[in-house]
Amino acid sequence: MNPNDSDASRFKSATTDRRGERDLDLLLIHVARGDTEAFEAVYDRLVGPVYGVIRRVLRDPSQSEEVAQEVLLEVWRTAARFDPAVGGAATWVMTIAHRRAIDRVRSTTAAAGREHKTAEVHTPHDEVAEAVEASLDRERVRRCLDGLTDVQRESITLAYYGGYSYRQVSELLKVTLGAIKTRIRDGLIRMRDCLGVS
Amino acid sequence: MRFLRHDLHSLSGAYALDAIEAGPERDRFTRHLSRCQSCASEVRGFREVGTALAFAAAAEPPAELRTRVLAAAARTRQLPPEVSTHARPRRTRARVPWVPWLSGVVATASIVVAVLFGFAQAHTQDELNQVRAENQAISLLLSAPGAKLLTHEVTHGGVATVVLAADRHELAVVTTGLPALPPGQVYQLWLIGKPKIVSAGLLPAAKNGQTPAVLATGVVKGDTLGLTVEPAGGSAQPTTTPILALPLPV
């Protein structure tokens, strides 16, 4: 069996299963009270997407591991700030993970410059396509991404997986700033409706 | 440079994807979010899309990461919850049919305040202390993780306030302003489930328009909290139309 299959089914529950979501919320509430077993359970449920998204943004495995560790530790440290009324636990954690990855990209590239990356501009969607196999989540996300216009899809994947700011996306795709903002927003609205998130 | 409102609003997508660089533009949008309810809820929805994108990118991390993270957690002190100092606007209670809100320690503190505030409106300090002493079980419920506060208007007048601790399968009910009943009648609480309806107890007589807290146990998924008027002593099953039917988010 492809190890990715078991990952996919393990991780799937957190986004597709309502009860799974609530369990995760509850686990995080217990984490806030210092429950280490609950933290282990949260780790096991979310480390795959946390590490995966950071890796997608940063590319470098050892940096990704370092940032993933920071993120998971932040989850432990700040669990009391999680508010289920505002959103689910998975989203709370993924928001931290993505933001940390982006912070790392922006602080590193502020010094190094980012021009060498322009050659990879066309790749994010291909990568998504490659990664879809055998995972329901991936399949669903791919299908929804396919329903977008090219500019919508490219700007969302460049921003989310590529870690580009919307100004950089505008530069790369040669589309005006105003249009990029709108494309990203319209694309996300379509994704939201397609994925059936509230 | 001044931003038109429309322009500002259209940043919600870029903001949710962390695609606005740190600086005045992001600060301005962050401030806007605190005032614009619809923008905030749009950003929340977009962040869920981000979550789906993250799950689609899930990858197996090196195995040592687990040991390292758990070890680091074991020696890291956790932050206490933020305690909100803002009073909840009173109109929320009147307008929103029921208000589920946050769980955890912050919520518990707020619920204690909210419920005691309710008591305080109707009781002297001595009576309040007595109520608190009599309701040891209720204080346990109030301190349960994940406890939620729900309020709902009752048909023909009054408001029911419920503290629900879903994982303890318990709830506490306080009512204010229910119409007084003629002699020979009582208010009875019910847990209305799919297969059956069970009594959750009679409401004690109101003092200054408020009924002391009633604790109900055995709350399960799918239950709705009901309130009916019954003959003195209560009934085995409801005999009148419920004047409250509050679905419980268990």
Side-chain angles (χ1 to χ4, degrees):
Chain A
M1 193 173 97
N2 179 343
N4 286 331
D5 288 353
S6 62
D7 280 356
S9 54
R10 201 170 81 208
F11 301 139
K12 187 189 65 180
S13 60
T15 49
T16 54
D17 172 7
R18 293 255 149 227
R19 218 183 86 204
E21 273 177 36
R22 275 207 301 272
D23 289 352
L24 202 54
D25 290 356
L26 214 68
L27 279 172
L28 208 48
I29 289 161
H30 284 283
V31 171
R33 297 164 75 95
D35 183 335
T36 51
E37 271 178 41
F39 182 60
E40 288 182 38
V42 168
Y43 179 97
D44 292 337
R45 290 271 288 275
L46 297 181
V47 70
V50 164
Y51 177 73
V53 74
I54 294 170
R55 176 89 195 261
R56 188 64 71 86
V57 173
L58 296 180
R59 312 289 175 104
D60 178 66
S62 66
Q63 262 199 62
S64 305
E65 200 182 328
E66 202 180 298
V67 174
Q69 180 170 343
E70 283 171 21
V71 167
L72 291 155
L73 205 60
E74 185 171 336
V75 168
W76 162 260
R77 215 168 55 83
T78 63
R81 306 282 157 96
F82 164 65
D83 178 355
V86 171
T91 297
W92 187 69
V93 174
M94 291 317 140
T95 302
I96 296 175
H98 190 259
R99 194 175 294 149
R100 283 282 187 131
I102 297 293
D103 286 349
R104 180 64 71 102
V105 163
R106 300 216 170 119
S107 65
T108 326
T109 52
R114 231 180 154 194
E115 286 68 24
H116 63 287
K117 284 265 183 182
T118 45
E120 296 162 8
V121 167
H122 63 285
T123 57
H125 183 233
D126 294 343
E127 281 180 7
V128 175
E130 272 168 32
V132 267
E133 275 150 55
S135 156
L136 246 165
D137 254 347
R138 290 171 199 208
E139 182 55 36
R140 214 158 54 106
V141 166
R142 190 191 58 81
R143 216 182 43 238
C144 293
L145 281 171
D146 282 348
L148 305 181
T149 67
D150 289 348
V151 178
Q152 287 174 348
R153 181 174 52 248
E154 279 184 288
S155 33
I156 289 174
T157 52
L158 281 169
Y160 193 80
Y161 290 134
Y164 290 91
S165 71
Y166 83 93
R167 284 171 193 281
Q168 291 167 326
V169 174
S170 143
E171 196 70 30
L172 289 165
L173 299 183
K174 306 288 175 224
V175 178
T176 64
L177 281 175
I180 283 296
K181 282 190 274 188
T182 314
R183 297 299 176 277
I184 292 179
R185 179 164 176 262
D186 292 348
L188 285 172
I189 289 172
R190 268 210 223 178
M191 286 293 285
R192 182 188 68 192
D193 296 344
C194 175
L195 290 164
V197 302
S198 53
Chain B
M1 180 171 60
R2 281 207 89 101
F3 275 79
L4 296 173
R5 200 184 151 69
H6 170 76
D7 250 20
L8 198 56
H9 196 105
S10 69
L11 273 173
S12 58
Y15 182 85
L17 299 185
D18 303 313
I20 309 177
E21 280 160 51
E25 188 179 32
R26 192 166 74 187
D27 296 345
R28 199 177 296 121
F29 189 77
T30 309
R31 276 200 305 277
H32 176 63
L33 270 186
S34 64
R35 293 190 300 264
C36 174
Q37 200 91 53
S38 67
C39 308
S41 91
E42 188 168 88
V43 167
R44 279 201 289 277
F46 290 168
R47 288 232 159 101
E48 286 193 47
V49 174
T51 303
L53 291 170
F55 274 76
E60 189 74 41
E64 321 84 73
L65 182 62
R66 193 175 196 273
T67 324
R68 275 213 305 277
V69 167
L70 298 181
R75 51 172 196 268
T76 302
R77 187 183 152 79
Q78 292 180 291
L79 290 184
E82 274 169 331
V83 178
S84 168
T85 52
H86 298 287
R88 284 166 61 74
R90 298 201 64 179
R91 59 183 170 81
T92 309
R93 214 159 138 144
R95 274 202 201 154
V96 182
W98 63 274
V99 188
W101 41 282
L102 61 123
S103 319
V105 184
V106 188
T108 307
S110 319
I111 291 164
V112 171
V113 171
V115 171
L116 294 183
F117 175 71
F119 284 160
Q121 285 181 312
H123 296 277
T124 64
Q125 188 59 44
D126 280 353
E127 286 171 318
L128 184 63
N129 288 341
Q130 197 189 337
V131 168
R132 290 178 68 185
E134 283 168 6
N135 292 291
Q136 193 68 47
I138 292 170
S139 0
L140 267 175
L141 168 81
L142 292 176
S143 62
K148 288 195 183 78
L149 180 71
L150 317 166
T151 67
H152 200 291
E153 292 185 20
V154 177
T155 316
H156 308 318
V159 173
T161 301
V162 177
V163 180
L164 172 70
D167 41 353
R168 297 173 61 94
H169 305 284
E170 289 177 348
L171 58 79
V173 185
V174 178
T175 70
T176 48
L178 289 186
L181 291 174
Q185 289 189 345
V186 288
Y187 286 112
Q188 188 167 5
L189 290 163
W190 306 94
L191 290 174
I192 304 168
K194 276 268 150 51
K196 59 178 182 176
I197 301 176
V198 294
S199 172
L202 305 179
L203 285 187
K207 288 176 195 163
N208 302 324
Q210 176 149 15
T211 57
V214 174
L215 183 76
T217 56
V219 180
V220 294
K221 192 176 150 78
D223 275 350
T224 292
L225 180 71
L227 181 69
T228 60
V229 176
E230 299 295 340
S235 307
Q237 287 289 296
T239 60
T240 62
T241 311
I243 51 175
L244 169 78
L246 173 61
L248 299 170
V250 179

